[in-house]
Amino acid sequence: MEQEADPPLRIGFIGAGNMAFGIAKGMLSGNVLPVNIKVSAPSSTNLGRFQELGMSVTHSNPEVVCGSDVVFVAVKPHLVPHVLSEVSRHVTKKQIIVSVAAGVTLAVLEELLPENSIVIRLMPNLPCLVQEGALLFARGANAKPEDGALLRSLLLCCGLVEEGPEAWIDIHTGLSGSGVAFVYLFAEALAEGAVKMGMPSALAHSIASQTVLGAGRLLRDSGKHPAQLRSEVCTPGGTTIYGLHTLEQGGLRASVMSAVESATERARELGRK
């Protein structure tokens, strides 16, 4: 006799912001069908884009939890206690609860949920919207390696997916969650430098974005250290080394390191609150 195929995994999202949309959209690029995804939010403002992709939507958080095998809690950190208290009695020991709320620790999540709940803490970033995200997750006390493997398989189409200890999550927030904005600031400054020197703004911004994209892909795909690639661009007495000297005089390296440190500390501060 032929074995019956396992029923499709049902995915739920509580919250309909950019992170939820990016992750859900990435899953559709994999093996998840839109009919197996349900999303809840208190208002209809952000639900339309999920509906356009064929996903089910509702205003009921308990409805999402009751109809899902994996539930992503994708709300603002200060809303997590309220949301989990609302759905806690509907959570079973078989479900995987994945929190993407910055600063909310596994200990807090496990305290707000029924005993022995399977909890995973995930930190994605905005480029998940174009399936080029960098995602890091940490498993809670009751989450087994196979639970992590299942989550990884769901997220692979969203970008780079890594697992690590929870202590790294706040660092990842500073490096990659907030780091995206640091890169945008640098791209903006690149373009403004070109505008200052006489290039039309639209063209300068277009070239700046392509420069950041190309540099990022080469860095990722070559496997080389950034310093090695940087040295390959520099020629003795050339334009690049003069520009790099100016950046070093302005303290770019130290400023970026301090920005990651500040964003990480803020994430930790949110966790303590």
Side-chain angles (χ1 to χ4, degrees), residues 99-122:
S99 169
V100 299
V104 182
T105 65
L106 287 168
V108 169
L109 295 166
E110 289 169 345
E111 188 178 326
L112 293 168
L113 289 164
E115 193 174 355
N116 298 322
S117 293
I118 299 172
V119 182
I120 296 178
R121 186 176 167 196
L122 170 71

Side-chain angles (χ1 to χ4, degrees), residues 1 9 36 42 45 56 86 98 106 124 206 218:
M1 289 179 62
L9 207 61
N36 294 319
T45 307
S56 302
E86 179 190 11
V98 182
L106 287 168
S206 178
L218 185 58

Side-chain angles (χ1 to χ4, degrees), residues 123-233:
M123 182 49 60
N125 68 352
L126 192 60
C128 284
L129 285 168
V130 290
Q131 288 78 62
E132 289 289 358
L135 305 93
L136 181 70
F137 70 89
R139 290 182 286 120
N142 300 299
K144 299 179 177 64
E146 51 264 38
D147 299 318
L150 174 61
L151 179 63
R152 185 191 294 270
S153 70
L154 287 172
L155 297 174
L156 274 177
C157 289
C158 296
L160 175 72
V161 185
E162 298 286 358
E163 179 178 1
E166 186 178 19
W168 292 358
I169 296 286
D170 290 334
I171 303 172
H172 177 71
T173 302
L175 167 66
S176 192
S178 301
V180 170
F182 307 158
V183 173
Y184 293 152
L185 178 62
F186 181 73
E188 182 184 7
L190 272 180
E192 288 177 346
V195 171
K196 180 182 179 184
M197 300 312 295
M199 182 178 284
S201 179
L203 180 60
H205 282 88
S206 178
I207 292 176
S209 64
Q210 183 61 35
T211 300
V212 171
L213 174 64
R217 285 194 63 177
L218 185 58
L219 178 60
R220 180 188 66 186
D221 297 346
S222 70
K224 294 179 180 179
H225 191 278
Q228 184 180 349
L229 287 171
R230 175 170 52 80
S231 69
E232 290 174 5
V233 183

Side-chain angles (χ1 to χ4, degrees), residues 8-163:
L9 207 61
R10 301 168 302 165
I11 312 297
F13 287 88
I14 297 177
N18 283 333
M19 286 299 99
F21 185 66
I23 293 170
K25 192 177 173 186
M27 287 181 183
L28 296 184
S29 303
N31 297 320
V32 179
L33 296 174
V35 70
N36 294 319
I37 300 178
K38 181 169 282 190
V39 185
S40 65
S43 77
S44 301
T45 307
N46 290 329
L47 291 176
R49 55 183 176 171
F50 291 89
Q51 285 179 298
E52 288 171 7
L53 295 177
M55 300 177 227
S56 302
V57 299
T58 177
H59 296 306
S60 169
N61 295 334
E63 183 183 334
V64 165
V65 172
C66 291
S68 302
D69 302 302
V70 180
V71 179
F72 288 84
V73 180
V75 299
K76 299 291 185 186
H78 69 278
L79 295 174
V80 169
H82 169 73
V83 166
L84 292 187
S85 67
E86 179 190 11
V87 303
S88 182
R89 64 192 179 94
H90 302 288
V91 174
T92 71
K93 293 178 183 178
K94 291 184 177 181
Q95 290 173 306
I96 300 175
I97 308 299
V98 182
S99 169
V100 299
V104 182
T105 65
L106 287 168
V108 169
L109 295 166
E110 289 169 345
E111 188 178 326
L112 293 168
L113 289 164
E115 193 174 355
N116 298 322
S117 293
I118 299 172
V119 182
I120 296 178
R121 186 176 167 196
L122 170 71
M123 182 49 60
N125 68 352
L126 192 60
C128 284
L129 285 168
V130 290
Q131 288 78 62
E132 289 289 358
L135 305 93
L136 181 70
F137 70 89
R139 290 182 286 120
N142 300 299
K144 299 179 177 64
E146 51 264 38
D147 299 318
L150 174 61
L151 179 63
R152 185 191 294 270
S153 70
L154 287 172
L155 297 174
L156 274 177
C157 289
C158 296
L160 175 72
V161 185
E162 298 286 358
E163 179 178 1

